[in-house]
Amino acid sequence: MKKIKNNKTTTLSAIVAVSKTEMGMDYVQVMPDDPRVGLVEPFHGMGYGQMLSNGSFDFTRKKRIRRKPELKKDYVSLSFGSDGNDRVIFVVPSEMRAELPQVLRKGIKAVIKYLIEKGYSL
């Protein structure tokens, strides 16, 4: 059975201030005319914000698509991302730092072997 999502829309009369931080990032602040605690539920995420021609501010969140790794071994995983990037990720406990060169060699060999078996390499 497919889960039905409820869309909740909250309309505000507000002033929107957009400024640059010291790190060069945009900072957007919405200041409602009638501020009340809990008026809008907090959220975080990446997205696209734009000031429209009618003066309103529009923000659309980017959906983060997570995929299961194609290959997952002891300390390495290989993922083919929907964003066009392929990732080889190593996660090694800090106690094993001295063994890191051997772990990297063994892990990358497993990734190469997998890619050859799947026909990604000659």
Side-chain angles (χ1 to χ4, degrees):
M1 179 177 233
K2 190 174 183 179
K3 184 179 177 182
I4 298 173
K5 289 185 176 183
N6 292 332
N7 290 331
K8 181 181 175 189
T9 302
T10 303
T11 304
L12 303 173
S13 175
I15 295 173
V16 176
V18 181
S19 56
K20 291 261 189 211
T21 64
E22 291 176 2
M23 295 177 7
M25 296 175 64
D26 287 328
Y27 176 73
V28 178
Q29 186 176 19
V30 178
M31 298 167 283
D33 295 341
D34 182 23
R36 287 175 277 145
V37 175
L39 184 62
V40 177
E41 291 181 26
F43 69 91
H44 71 280
M46 300 283 291
Y48 181 74
Q50 63 181 342
M51 192 68 73
L52 301 175
S53 60
N54 66 0
S56 61
F57 181 77
D58 180 54
F59 181 79
T60 306
R61 286 182 63 180
K62 275 206 263 184
K63 184 172 181 162
R64 185 173 177 186
I65 300 171
R66 293 188 173 214
R67 298 180 116 184
K68 292 197 181 247
E70 292 281 323
L71 171 72
K72 189 162 174 114
K73 293 285 186 178
D74 294 337
Y75 303 104
V76 66
S77 65
L78 169 68
S79 300
F80 300 127
S82 58
D83 61 355
N85 296 311
D86 300 336
R87 293 172 178 82
V88 177
I89 301 171
F90 287 88
V91 179
V92 182
S94 58
E95 303 87 48
M96 295 182 61
R97 203 167 282 147
E99 300 166 43
L100 193 54
Q102 294 86 1
V103 170
L104 292 174
R105 260 188 238 109
K106 183 178 176 185
I108 206 66
K109 282 181 182 177
V111 168
I112 292 168
K113 181 179 176 186
Y114 177 82
L115 291 171
I116 290 170
E117 287 172 1
K118 292 293 180 182
Y120 290 108
S121 181
L122 298 177

